[in-house]
Amino acid sequence: MIDKYCVIGNPIAHSKSPEIHPVYAAQTGQELVYERCLAPLDGFEATIRRLVAEGYRGANVTLPFKLEAARICTRLEERAQAAGAVNTLVFEGGEIIGDNTDGPGLVADITRNAGVSIKDKRVLLLGAGGAARGALLPFLKEGPREIVIANRTVATAAALARDFGGYGIPVSGIGFSEIAGSFDIVVNATASSLAGDLPPVPASVFRPDTLALDMMYGNQATVFMDFAAGQGASVRDGLGMLVEQAAEAFAIWRGVRPATADLLKTMRP
């Protein structure tokens, strides 16, 4: 029987994951089926139980279920524990194992696809929600010089900084109005781009050698990307992060990591 996987969310029709994983399967010689699964907003756990009963081997989880996915797992990997959220599930031996590949996908896109090292760099993370939390541990493992978390609610940024303050690297949480100086890497982890808005970040954070990355992606550059490019920064959207996090999930499930460069080129508008 061919192994089955899916991506679960609500809504789910927009997900590009079913376009990505069959390409990885063909590339690596793996036989699998990958589908979309629409879960009722009040029926995520029941949906997972059904998938396990039907013999699925694993699943990706997207909005709005990443936090609930972490709660129903019987075991969480380190990255999922740190993120407090799960986007990759493994169904194995009666267990539901949760992992989070969003942060590793972001790091892989920056270091591999953009060719920018994070080591000894000054990093600005805009936003202090789940997307920012998921990125912090993978970023810290790359050895940056400093990470500054800026958020509208200072207390939220400060609390997040405290949660990740034990890795020997300075992590601070501040308000947007307190941002000072320029940064090597600026990541927009807010949802502002969904509404076509710009987070209140000063132009002075960008230099010509700054990499500015928006976790959102679409057919056009986001307002954040346009603003950063206007200050001379190099810009990226979140498509590379999506492709790389999918490769990490595929490697967890199948034990082989697919190459991503060609797929990323074909998916880029």
Side-chain angles (χ1 to χ4, degrees), residues 83-157:
V86 161
N87 80 329
T88 301
L89 295 169
V90 178
F91 308 140
E92 185 178 274
E95 281 202 285
I96 301 174
I97 304 164
D99 206 336
N100 192 306
T101 66
D102 285 334
L106 174 63
V107 166
D109 186 50
I110 290 172
T111 58
R112 186 177 300 123
N113 299 327
V116 174
S117 173
I118 297 171
K119 185 173 177 58
D120 296 326
K121 298 296 176 62
R122 191 170 192 239
V123 177
L124 175 62
L125 198 56
L126 303 174
R133 177 175 285 274
L136 275 165
L137 180 60
F139 259 92
L140 287 165
K141 289 191 171 184
E142 294 294 311
R145 183 169 82 251
E146 176 190 13
I147 295 179
V148 177
I149 306 163
N151 194 53
R152 291 185 190 276
T153 305
V154 180
T156 306

Side-chain angles (χ1 to χ4, degrees), residues 12-21 36 217 239 242 267:
I12 198 60
H14 67 286
S15 174
K16 293 185 179 294
S17 293
E19 302 169 29
I20 295 173
H21 285 277
R36 291 180 179 88
Y217 63 90
L239 184 61
L242 172 72
M267 292 186 69

Side-chain angles (χ1 to χ4, degrees), residues 106 125 131-132 135 187-189 213-217 237-239 241:
L106 174 63
L125 198 56
V187 176
N188 183 19
L213 188 147
D214 197 323
M215 286 190 178
M216 303 300 171
Y217 63 90
D237 65 7
L239 184 61
M241 174 182 172

Side-chain angles (χ1 to χ4, degrees), residues 43-67:
F44 175 74
E45 183 171 357
T47 301
I48 294 297
R49 303 297 176 194
R50 175 179 63 80
L51 294 173
V52 172
E54 292 178 0
Y56 280 73
R57 297 290 305 277
N60 287 130
V61 181
T62 188
L63 296 174
F65 299 121
K66 291 183 180 183
L67 298 179

